[in-house]
Amino acid sequence: MKALRITFAVIFLLPILVLSPIYVFFIVYLLEVVGKEKAAQNHLRRSGSFTGSAILFFLGVKLVVTGRENLPETREGICYMGNHQSMLDIAAFVGPAKLWGSIMAKVEVKKIPIINLWCKAMKIIFIDRKSPHDSIRAIFTGVEHLKNGGNLLIFPEGTRSKTGKIGELKAGSIKLATRSRATIVPFAIKNLRPGFEGITNFRRVHAHMAIGKPIETKDLSKEELDGLHEVVYGVITDLFDQLP
C-alpha cells in the first residue's frame, strides 16, 4: 500500500521537479540579471510554496495551519523551531505554511540533481557528519546567516520522532538563536508521519501545524538565556498538545 501510494504521488510530482530548473531557476536568473532581486526572491518563494503544497497534495495530506498572525512583521533574522516527525515537515513549512528559511542538511544531498539547485536557492547549510569539526563550522555559519538577516529552520530534537510524541530537545540547538540574538518563532506539527513514513491506506491524512508567538532573545539576561531551551521546549510542547 505504501509503495503504491508513493508511486502514484511520484508520477505527478516528478514533472514538477524535473521542470523546476526552467520555470523556477531560469526565471530567477533572468530577474536577477535585470536587477529585480526582490522579484526573483518572491518568485523563488512562491515556487517553493507551490512545490511543497504539491508534495502534500499528491500524497493525500491536508495540512491546516493556525497562528500565522503571530509571525513578526519583519521576516528577517528569524529562527523557526519546532518538532520533527516526518520527512514532510519541510514541505509543510515552505508549502501550506508559506514560510522560508535555510536548514542544515547532510553534505550528500549536494549530489542529487535538481535537489541541489533547491538547496542552493534555500542557502542550505551542509554538514559533513564524517568530520567531527564540521558541526562547529555549521553552527558558526548558521549564526552569521541569522545575523545577516537570513532565516533558519531548526528541529531541536535533532532527529525525527517515531513515537508520535515530542522527543528531547537538545539545548545546544538554542545557541544558534542566542549567539545571533535572533527572534525565535516556535511551532508544532502533528500527524504528518501517516502521510509518508506511516502510510497504511489511501485515506486522506489530516495534519495540523500551529505557529506560536515570537520569543525575542536580544534583551535576555544571562540567566534567562541559560533557561531559554526549557522555555522554548515548553512552548512547542504546549502548541503540540493543543493540536487536534
Side-chain angles (χ1 to χ4, degrees):
M1 185 65 71
K2 180 177 180 179
L4 187 60
R5 186 162 182 172
I6 292 176
T7 300
F8 173 81
V10 168
I11 290 173
F12 292 95
L13 290 171
L14 197 57
I16 293 175
L17 291 175
V18 170
L19 294 174
S20 63
I22 299 173
Y23 75 85
V24 179
F25 302 111
F26 182 65
I27 293 178
V28 168
Y29 170 75
L30 291 178
L31 289 171
E32 289 177 341
V33 166
V34 298
K36 301 289 186 178
E37 292 285 343
K38 187 174 182 180
Q41 286 303 307
N42 288 338
H43 178 70
L44 180 62
R45 295 187 182 193
R46 283 194 299 267
S47 300
S49 179
F50 165 74
T51 304
S53 297
I55 290 172
L56 297 186
F57 177 80
F58 288 116
L59 281 169
V61 178
K62 178 177 176 56
L63 180 73
V64 176
V65 181
T66 58
R68 284 189 57 84
E69 68 277 4
N70 293 323
L71 292 169
E73 290 186 11
T74 303
R75 306 285 179 84
E76 295 182 352
I78 297 177
C79 192
Y80 296 99
M81 290 191 175
N83 63 305
H84 194 21
Q85 293 189 335
S86 171
M87 293 177 67
L88 299 179
D89 290 343
I90 297 174
F93 179 83
V94 300
K98 297 182 180 179
L99 301 175
W100 193 260
S102 300
I103 62 171
M104 294 186 176
K106 56 186 180 180
V107 71
E108 288 81 3
V109 178
K110 276 185 178 181
K111 301 176 183 179
I112 304 175
I114 299 180
I115 299 299
N116 56 6
L117 295 177
W118 281 102
C119 289
K120 183 178 180 181
M122 295 184 71
K123 299 180 180 178
I124 300 298
I125 300 171
F126 292 104
I127 302 176
D128 184 356
R129 295 181 179 178
K130 297 178 181 178
S131 170
H133 302 293
D134 209 52
S135 59
I136 298 175
R137 178 203 59 80
I139 289 176
F140 281 111
T141 302
V143 169
E144 288 303 311
H145 179 69
L146 288 166
K147 283 183 177 179
N148 293 330
N151 298 333
L152 196 61
L153 168 62
I154 298 176
F155 298 113
E157 295 159 285
T159 186
R160 282 171 283 153
S161 171
K162 299 178 182 179
T163 64
K165 299 179 181 179
I166 297 179
E168 181 181 357
L169 183 150
K170 293 178 173 56
S173 60
I174 301 293
K175 292 180 181 178
L176 282 159
T178 57
R179 289 182 179 179
S180 59
R181 297 301 191 183
T183 299
I184 296 175
V185 173
F187 68 89
I189 299 179
K190 182 179 284 187
N191 206 42
L192 268 183
R193 196 170 180 82
F196 188 72
E197 294 90 344
I199 292 174
T200 58
N201 52 52
F202 273 100
R203 292 180 181 175
R204 195 169 184 80
V205 174
H206 295 274
H208 297 267
M209 177 178 180
I211 301 170
K213 294 181 179 180
I215 302 172
E216 299 290 346
T217 66
K218 60 182 179 180
D219 296 322
L220 296 181
S221 65
K222 183 180 182 304
E223 291 74 19
E224 290 172 322
L225 290 173
D226 289 340
L228 186 59
H229 68 283
E230 295 181 359
V231 174
V232 174
Y233 183 80
V235 173
I236 294 174
T237 302
D238 287 344
L239 289 171
F240 183 83
D241 290 341
Q242 291 170 20
L243 290 174

